[in-house]
C-alpha cells in the first residue's frame, strides 16, 4: 500500500504520514508492505506548494528522520517529483485551511487543480484514489485573519462545500471529512472517562489552529476509515515512536492520547 501526502502543517504536525503508516502496518500485519512519502510545506496552499515545493528541510531535521545512509527523510522536493516517483494507491491532499472557505481562493485552487494537478495525475497516477483531507475549523473565531468566516459551524460548512467542489472536478476522488469529525466531537463532548473529562478543545494545539496529538489521531483515524471502509485497529502510544516532528520544539510538549481516549 503506497500513500502519498501533499499539504502543509495540518499534516506534518505530529507527523500524520508516519502515524497513518503505523496504523496501516498494525491493521494488515505482515500481509502487506506499507510505504509513504510526501511533499509538505508550512502554510502552503495547493497552489503555492506546487510552485515553491517542499519546505521540510529544517522541520524534519530530527533524529527520527535520519535514514541509514545519514540523510534526512524530508519527503520529495516537489509535488511533481512525488507524483512521478511511484504509482501511488492513495494521494492525500489538503489545502491551506482558509482557501476552500473563500470563493476567490477556492476558485483559484479549482483552476490550478484542473490546469496542473489533473494532467499529471492522469499521466502518472490515473489509478490512484485521491483523498481530499477536509481540514477542521479553527478552535476560536477570528483567529489568523479568519474574521469573515464566521463561527466554528459557519467555517466548517464553508470548508465542506469547498472540498466538495474540489472533489467534483477530480476523477476517482473522495473527501476525508476530518473537519466534520472535529465538529462532531465538539457537539457531543465533553465526556467523562473515569475521573477525567475529555473535551473537544484537546484536539487543538495552543495556537487554536493546528491539531494536537489528539487531533492528529482523530485525523488519521478518519483518513484510515475513508481509505479502507474499516474500523482502525486498537490504539497504541507506540504509533508515535517514529514521528519526525510533533509541535514546534519551543512549545511545551502536548500529551499523547491515553489508551482510553484513543478508543472512545
Amino acid at each position: 500500500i503506497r500513500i502519498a501526502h501533499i499539504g502543509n502543517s495540518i499534516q506534518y504536525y505530529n507527523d500524520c504520514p508516519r502515524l497513518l503508516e503505523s496504523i496501516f502496518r498494525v491493521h494488515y500485519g505482515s500481509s502487506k508492505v506499507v510505504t509513504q512519502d510526501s511533499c509538505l510545506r508550512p502554510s502552503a496552499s495547493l497552489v503555492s506548494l506546487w510552485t515553491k515545493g517542499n519546505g521540510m528541510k529544517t522541520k524534519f531535521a530530527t533524529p527520527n528522520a535520519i535514514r541509514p545512509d545519514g540523510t534526512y527523510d524530508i519527503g520529495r522536493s516537489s509535488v511533481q517529483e512525488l507524483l512521478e516517483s511511484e504509482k501511488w494507491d492513495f494521494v492525500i491532499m489538503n489545502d491551506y485551511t482558509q482557501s476552500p472557505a473563500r470563493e476567490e481562493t477556492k476558485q483559484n485552487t479549482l483552476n490550478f487543480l484542473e490546469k496542473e494537478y489533473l494532467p499529471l495525475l492522469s499521466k502518472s497516477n490515473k489509478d490512484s484514489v485521491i483523498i481530499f483531507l477536509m481540514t477542521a475549523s479553527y478552535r476560536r473565531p477570528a483567529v489568523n485573519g479568519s474574521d469573515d468566516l464566521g463561527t466554528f459551524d459557519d467555517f466548517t460548512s464553508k470548508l465542506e462545500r469547498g472540498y466538495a467542489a474540489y472533489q467534483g472536478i477530480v476523477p476517482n476522488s473522495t473527501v476525508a471529512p476530518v473537519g466534520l469529525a472535529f465538529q462532531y466531537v465538539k457537539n457531543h463532548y465533553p465526556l467523562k472517562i473515569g475521573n477525567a473529562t475529555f473535551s473537544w478543545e484537546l484536539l487543538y494545539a495552543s495556537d487554536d489552529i493546528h491539531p494536537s496529538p489528539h487531533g492528529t489521531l482523530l485525523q488519521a483515524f478518519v483518513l484510515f476509515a475513508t481509505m479502507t471502509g474499516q474500523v482502525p485497529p486498537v490504539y497504541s502510544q507506540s504509533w508515535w515512536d517514529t514521528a519526525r516532528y510533533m509541535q514546534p520544539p519551543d512549545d511545551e510538549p502536548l500529551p499523547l492520547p491515553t489508551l482510553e481516549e484513543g478508543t472512545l
Side-chain angles (χ1 to χ4, degrees):
I1 298 177
R2 296 153 299 181
I3 308 169
H5 294 260
I6 295 171
N8 52 36
S9 51
I10 300 301
Q11 291 201 58
Y12 74 67
Y13 261 59
N14 314 305
D15 206 344
C16 187
R18 285 198 174 179
L19 177 65
L20 188 62
E21 182 181 33
S22 294
I23 294 173
F24 267 90
R25 285 179 173 169
V26 170
H27 182 77
Y28 287 108
S30 60
S31 66
K32 291 185 184 293
V33 175
V34 183
T35 60
Q36 61 80 26
D37 208 343
S38 62
C39 183
L40 306 170
R41 186 179 187 87
S43 302
S45 67
L46 288 173
V47 175
S48 66
L49 182 62
W50 181 281
T51 56
K52 295 181 179 179
N54 188 304
M56 303 308 296
K57 185 176 180 179
T58 58
K59 303 290 186 185
F60 281 169
T62 60
N64 275 354
I66 300 176
R67 297 188 181 103
D69 64 1
T71 62
Y72 287 95
D73 175 16
I74 67 169
R76 299 286 177 163
S77 64
S78 67
V79 172
Q80 297 92 319
E81 182 189 342
L82 176 67
L83 293 179
E84 290 174 343
S85 65
E86 284 220 37
K87 302 290 185 185
W88 299 103
D89 297 299
F90 298 99
V91 179
I92 298 171
M93 304 168 64
N94 80 282
D95 205 356
Y96 178 68
T97 297
Q98 298 181 34
S99 291
R102 292 194 175 91
E103 286 302 318
E104 182 179 355
T105 47
K106 177 177 71 177
Q107 192 58 53
N108 287 342
T109 302
L110 287 167
N111 293 341
F112 207 86
L113 285 169
E114 195 164 26
K115 178 184 176 184
E116 303 291 355
Y117 281 85
L118 277 179
L120 185 55
L121 286 168
S122 60
K123 175 185 175 184
S124 58
N125 280 277
K126 61 183 177 63
D127 296 323
S128 301
V129 177
I130 312 302
I131 309 288
F132 284 108
L133 192 171
M134 175 200 164
T135 54
S137 305
Y138 300 151
R139 181 165 56 181
R140 308 279 180 235
V143 170
N144 198 28
S146 62
D147 312 54
D148 59 314
L149 298 178
T151 65
F152 184 96
D153 289 337
D154 293 336
F155 197 168
T156 300
S157 295
K158 291 171 182 175
L159 287 168
E160 183 179 17
R161 291 194 296 271
Y163 276 100
Y166 295 174
Q167 179 192 2
I169 69 162
V170 177
N172 203 29
S173 68
T174 190
V175 175
V178 174
L180 296 183
F182 274 56
Q183 184 183 50
Y184 181 90
V185 174
K186 180 179 185 295
N187 291 337
H188 290 80
Y189 290 73
L191 182 71
K192 280 284 188 182
I193 309 171
N195 294 323
T197 300
F198 181 83
S199 167
W200 73 278
E201 296 191 341
L202 289 174
L203 299 175
Y204 290 84
S206 58
D207 61 6
D208 297 323
I209 295 172
H210 292 97
S212 67
H214 291 76
T216 299
L217 181 63
L218 178 57
Q219 177 172 287
F221 277 168
V222 173
L223 285 167
F224 179 89
T226 302
M227 296 159 75
T228 67
Q230 299 181 56
V231 175
V234 175
Y235 166 67
S236 169
Q237 285 191 341
S238 65
W239 293 352
W240 306 96
D241 290 350
T242 60
R244 294 162 289 183
Y245 184 94
M246 297 298 284
Q247 56 275 330
D250 292 338
D251 288 4
E252 187 72 21
L254 294 170
L256 298 179
T258 63
L259 177 62
E260 291 77 15
E261 290 169 340
T263 54
L264 287 176

